Amino acid sequence: MLTIETASGQEEHFDRERLLALPQHELVTHTSVTDGLQTFTGPFMRDLLAEAGVTAETLTATALNDYQIELPAEDFTRYDVVAALEMNGETLTPRDKGPIWIVYPRDEFVELQDIYYDYRWVWQLVRLEEQ
């Protein structure tokens, strides 16, 4: 499901089972691409990165459709960003932005409601690379 490449070139592979073994958190928020409040469930991004041994300040996130964006790792310590595996109790699939969707707590922080942060909501996440 997800490959995380460290700066040393080592790859950590996460299947659904390994992702579910991490502490799971629920985040209720609006998104810029759905209607109404949504409930997302998954591990915090900071826990996922710690599990993979990531220590870099910047990561490149890649989606299934090859969308890429650089993400500051500080986002994941500053905010409770979730690597969502479920939305409203349903497993996310590639048809509905899964299997992993990076979800920010948009409703809790005014600054996260800016389009600048919307680009960081990577859906169909398949790869993270330390920069």
Side-chain angles (χ1 to χ4, degrees), residues 87-126:
M87 184 173 75
N88 301 322
E90 299 290 326
T91 299
L92 289 170
T93 67
R95 286 185 150 180
D96 50 21
K97 303 190 178 11
I100 303 168
W101 186 0
I102 297 177
V103 177
Y104 282 72
R106 190 173 205 264
D107 292 353
E108 294 178 35
F109 300 91
V110 172
E111 68 267 26
L112 296 180
Q113 297 168 24
D114 188 291
I115 194 168
Y116 176 76
Y117 282 95
D118 290 344
Y119 292 118
R120 298 179 186 184
W121 287 56
V122 180
W123 56 71
Q124 296 179 328
L125 179 70
V126 293

Coordinates of all heavy atoms in Angstrom, one line a residue, residues 87-126:
M87 N -13.0 6.6 5.8 CA -13.8 7.8 5.9 C -15.2 7.4 6.2 O -15.8 6.5 5.5 CB -13.8 8.5 4.5 CG -14.5 9.9 4.6 SD -14.3 10.9 3.1 CE -15.4 10.0 2.0
N88 N -15.8 7.9 7.3 CA -17.1 7.6 7.7 C -17.3 6.1 7.9 O -18.4 5.6 7.6 CB -18.2 8.2 6.8 CG -18.0 9.7 6.6 OD1 -17.7 10.4 7.6 ND2 -18.2 10.2 5.4
G89 N -16.3 5.5 8.5 CA -16.4 4.0 8.8 C -16.2 3.1 7.6 O -16.2 1.9 7.8
E90 N -16.0 3.6 6.4 CA -15.8 2.8 5.2 C -14.3 2.9 4.8 O -13.7 3.9 4.8 CB -16.6 3.4 4.1 CG -18.1 3.3 4.3 CD -18.7 1.9 4.3 OE1 -18.2 1.1 3.6 OE2 -19.6 1.7 5.1
T91 N -13.7 1.7 4.4 CA -12.4 1.6 4.0 C -12.2 2.4 2.7 O -13.0 2.3 1.8 CB -12.0 0.2 3.7 OG1 -12.1 -0.6 4.9 CG2 -10.6 0.0 3.2
L92 N -11.2 3.3 2.7 CA -10.9 4.1 1.5 C -10.3 3.2 0.4 O -9.4 2.4 0.7 CB -9.9 5.2 1.8 CG -10.5 6.4 2.6 CD1 -9.4 7.3 3.1 CD2 -11.6 7.1 1.9
T93 N -10.8 3.3 -0.8 CA -10.3 2.6 -2.0 C -9.8 3.6 -3.0 O -10.1 4.8 -2.9 CB -11.4 1.7 -2.6 OG1 -12.4 2.6 -3.2 CG2 -12.0 0.8 -1.6
P94 N -9.1 3.2 -4.0 CA -8.6 4.2 -5.0 C -9.8 5.0 -5.7 O -9.6 6.1 -6.1 CB -7.9 3.3 -6.1 CG -7.4 2.2 -5.2 CD -8.4 1.9 -4.2
R95 N -11.0 4.4 -5.7 CA -12.1 5.2 -6.2 C -12.6 6.3 -5.4 O -13.2 7.3 -5.9 CB -13.3 4.2 -6.4 CG -13.2 3.3 -7.5 CD -14.5 2.5 -7.6 NE -14.6 2.1 -9.0 CZ -15.6 1.4 -9.4 NH1 -16.6 1.0 -8.6 NH2 -15.7 1.1 -10.7
D96 N -12.3 6.3 -4.1 CA -12.7 7.3 -3.2 C -11.5 7.9 -2.4 O -11.6 8.1 -1.2 CB -13.8 6.9 -2.2 CG -13.5 5.6 -1.5 OD1 -12.4 5.2 -1.4 OD2 -14.5 4.9 -1.1
K97 N -10.4 8.1 -3.1 CA -9.3 8.8 -2.6 C -8.3 8.0 -1.7 O -7.4 8.5 -1.0 CB -9.6 10.1 -1.8 CG -10.4 11.0 -2.8 CD -10.7 12.3 -2.2 CE -11.4 13.3 -3.1 NZ -12.1 12.9 -4.3
G98 N -8.5 6.7 -1.7 CA -7.7 5.8 -0.9 C -6.7 5.1 -1.7 O -6.5 5.4 -2.9
P99 N -5.9 4.2 -1.2 CA -6.2 3.6 0.1 C -5.7 4.4 1.3 O -6.1 4.2 2.4 CB -5.3 2.3 0.0 CG -4.2 2.6 -0.9 CD -4.8 3.6 -1.9
I100 N -4.9 5.5 1.0 CA -4.5 6.4 2.1 C -4.7 7.8 1.6 O -4.3 8.2 0.5 CB -3.0 6.1 2.4 CG1 -2.7 4.7 2.8 CG2 -2.5 7.1 3.5 CD1 -1.2 4.3 2.9
W101 N -5.2 8.6 2.5 CA -5.5 10.0 2.2 C -4.9 10.8 3.4 O -5.2 10.6 4.5 CB -7.0 10.3 2.1 CG -7.4 11.6 1.6 CD1 -6.6 12.7 1.3 CD2 -8.7 12.1 1.4 NE1 -7.3 13.8 1.0 CE2 -8.6 13.5 1.0 CE3 -10.0 11.5 1.6 CZ2 -9.8 14.2 0.8 CZ3 -11.1 12.3 1.3 CH2 -11.0 13.6 0.9
I102 N -3.9 11.7 3.1 CA -3.4 12.6 4.1 C -4.4 13.7 4.4 O -4.8 14.4 3.5 CB -2.1 13.2 3.6 CG1 -1.0 12.2 3.4 CG2 -1.6 14.2 4.7 CD1 0.3 12.7 2.8
V103 N -4.9 13.7 5.7 CA -6.0 14.6 6.1 C -5.5 15.5 7.2 O -5.0 15.0 8.2 CB -7.2 13.8 6.5 CG1 -8.3 14.7 7.0 CG2 -7.7 12.9 5.3
Y104 N -5.6 16.8 7.0 CA -5.3 17.8 8.0 C -6.5 18.1 8.8 O -7.6 18.1 8.3 CB -4.8 19.0 7.3 CG -3.3 18.9 6.8 CD1 -3.0 18.2 5.7 CD2 -2.3 19.6 7.4 CE1 -1.7 18.1 5.2 CE2 -1.0 19.6 7.0 CZ -0.7 18.8 5.8 OH 0.6 18.7 5.4
P105 N -6.3 18.6 10.1 CA -7.4 19.0 10.9 C -7.9 20.4 10.5 O -7.7 21.4 11.3 CB -6.8 18.9 12.4 CG -5.4 19.2 12.2 CD -5.0 18.6 10.8
R106 N -8.4 20.5 9.4 CA -8.8 21.8 8.7 C -9.7 22.7 9.6 O -9.5 23.9 9.6 CB -9.5 21.4 7.4 CG -9.7 22.6 6.5 CD -10.2 22.0 5.1 NE -9.9 22.9 4.0 CZ -10.8 23.8 3.6 NH1 -11.9 23.9 4.1 NH2 -10.4 24.6 2.6
D107 N -10.6 22.1 10.2 CA -11.6 22.9 11.0 C -11.0 23.5 12.3 O -11.5 24.4 12.9 CB -12.8 22.1 11.3 CG -13.7 21.8 10.1 OD1 -13.3 22.3 9.0 OD2 -14.6 21.0 10.2
E108 N -9.9 22.9 12.8 CA -9.3 23.3 14.1 C -8.4 24.5 13.9 O -8.1 25.1 14.9 CB -8.6 22.1 14.7 CG -9.5 21.0 15.1 CD -8.7 19.8 15.7 OE1 -7.7 20.1 16.4 OE2 -9.1 18.7 15.4
F109 N -7.9 24.8 12.7 CA -6.9 25.8 12.5 C -7.3 26.6 11.3 O -7.3 26.1 10.2 CB -5.5 25.2 12.4 CG -5.0 24.4 13.6 CD1 -5.3 23.1 13.6 CD2 -4.4 25.0 14.6 CE1 -4.9 22.3 14.7 CE2 -4.0 24.3 15.7 CZ -4.2 22.9 15.7
V110 N -7.5 27.9 11.5 CA -7.9 28.8 10.4 C -6.9 28.7 9.2 O -7.2 28.7 8.1 CB -8.0 30.3 10.9 CG1 -8.3 31.2 9.7 CG2 -9.2 30.4 11.8
E111 N -5.6 28.7 9.6 CA -4.5 28.7 8.5 C -4.6 27.4 7.6 O -4.2 27.5 6.5 CB -3.1 28.8 9.1 CG -2.6 27.6 9.9 CD -2.9 27.8 11.4 OE1 -3.8 28.5 11.8 OE2 -2.2 27.1 12.2
L112 N -5.2 26.3 8.1 CA -5.3 25.1 7.3 C -6.5 25.2 6.3 O -6.6 24.3 5.5 CB -5.5 23.9 8.2 CG -4.3 23.6 9.1 CD1 -4.6 22.3 10.0 CD2 -3.0 23.4 8.3
Q113 N -7.3 26.2 6.4 CA -8.4 26.4 5.5 C -8.0 27.2 4.2 O -8.8 27.4 3.4 CB -9.5 27.1 6.2 CG -10.1 26.3 7.3 CD -11.0 27.0 8.2 OE1 -11.6 28.0 7.9 NE2 -11.1 26.6 9.5
D114 N -6.7 27.4 4.1 CA -6.1 28.1 2.9 C -5.8 27.1 1.8 O -5.3 26.0 2.1 CB -4.9 28.8 3.4 CG -4.3 29.7 2.3 OD1 -3.8 29.2 1.3 OD2 -4.3 31.0 2.5
I115 N -6.0 27.5 0.6 CA -5.7 26.6 -0.5 C -4.2 26.1 -0.5 O -3.9 25.0 -1.0 CB -6.0 27.2 -1.9 CG1 -6.0 26.1 -3.0 CG2 -5.0 28.3 -2.2 CD1 -6.6 26.6 -4.3
Y116 N -3.3 26.9 0.1 CA -1.9 26.5 0.2 C -1.8 25.1 0.9 O -1.0 24.3 0.6 CB -1.2 27.6 1.1 CG 0.2 27.3 1.4 CD1 1.2 27.5 0.5 CD2 0.5 27.0 2.7 CE1 2.5 27.3 0.8 CE2 1.9 26.7 3.0 CZ 2.9 26.9 2.1 OH 4.2 26.7 2.4
Y117 N -2.7 24.9 1.9 CA -2.6 23.6 2.6 C -3.4 22.5 1.9 O -3.2 21.3 2.0 CB -3.1 23.7 4.0 CG -2.1 24.3 4.9 CD1 -2.0 25.7 5.2 CD2 -1.1 23.5 5.5 CE1 -1.1 26.2 6.0 CE2 -0.1 24.0 6.3 CZ -0.1 25.4 6.6 OH 0.9 25.9 7.4
D118 N -4.5 22.9 1.1 CA -5.3 22.0 0.4 C -4.4 21.1 -0.5 O -4.7 19.9 -0.7 CB -6.4 22.7 -0.4 CG -7.5 23.3 0.5 OD1 -7.5 22.9 1.7 OD2 -8.2 24.1 0.0
Y119 N -3.4 21.7 -1.1 CA -2.5 20.9 -2.0 C -1.8 19.8 -1.3 O -1.3 18.8 -1.9 CB -1.5 21.8 -2.7 CG -2.1 22.8 -3.7 CD1 -2.0 24.1 -3.5 CD2 -2.8 22.3 -4.8 CE1 -2.5 25.0 -4.4 CE2 -3.3 23.2 -5.7 CZ -3.2 24.5 -5.5 OH -3.7 25.4 -6.4
R120 N -1.7 19.9 0.0 CA -1.0 18.9 0.8 C -1.9 17.7 1.2 O -1.4 16.7 1.7 CB -0.4 19.5 2.1 CG 0.6 20.6 1.8 CD 1.1 21.2 3.0 NE 2.0 22.4 2.7 CZ 2.6 23.1 3.6 NH1 2.5 22.8 4.9 NH2 3.3 24.1 3.2
W121 N -3.1 17.8 0.9 CA -4.0 16.7 1.2 C -3.9 15.6 0.1 O -4.7 15.5 -0.8 CB -5.5 17.2 1.2 CG -5.9 18.0 2.4 CD1 -5.3 19.1 2.9 CD2 -7.0 17.7 3.2 NE1 -6.0 19.6 3.9 CE2 -7.0 18.7 4.2 CE3 -8.0 16.7 3.3 CZ2 -8.0 18.8 5.2 CZ3 -8.9 16.8 4.2 CH2 -8.9 17.8 5.2
V122 N -2.8 14.9 0.1 CA -2.6 13.9 -0.9 C -3.5 12.7 -0.8 O -3.5 12.0 0.3 CB -1.1 13.5 -0.9 CG1 -0.8 12.4 -2.0 CG2 -0.2 14.7 -1.0
W123 N -4.3 12.4 -1.8 CA -5.1 11.2 -1.7 C -4.5 10.2 -2.7 O -3.6 10.5 -3.5 CB -6.6 11.5 -2.1 CG -6.9 12.1 -3.4 CD1 -6.8 11.6 -4.6 CD2 -7.4 13.4 -3.6 NE1 -7.2 12.5 -5.5 CE2 -7.6 13.6 -4.9 CE3 -7.7 14.5 -2.7 CZ2 -8.1 14.8 -5.5 CZ3 -8.2 15.6 -3.2 CH2 -8.4 15.8 -4.6
Q124 N -4.8 8.9 -2.5 CA -4.3 7.8 -3.2 C -2.7 7.8 -3.0 O -1.9 7.4 -3.8 CB -4.6 7.9 -4.7 CG -6.0 7.8 -5.0 CD -6.3 7.8 -6.5 OE1 -5.6 8.5 -7.2 NE2 -7.3 7.1 -6.9
L125 N -2.3 8.1 -1.7 CA -0.9 8.1 -1.4 C -0.3 6.7 -1.5 O -0.9 5.7 -1.0 CB -0.7 8.6 0.1 CG 0.7 8.6 0.6 CD1 1.5 9.8 -0.1 CD2 0.7 8.9 2.1
V126 N 0.8 6.6 -2.2 CA 1.5 5.3 -2.4 C 3.0 5.4 -2.0 O 3.6 4.3 -1.8 CB 1.4 4.8 -3.8 CG1 -0.1 4.4 -4.1 CG2 2.0 5.7 -4.8

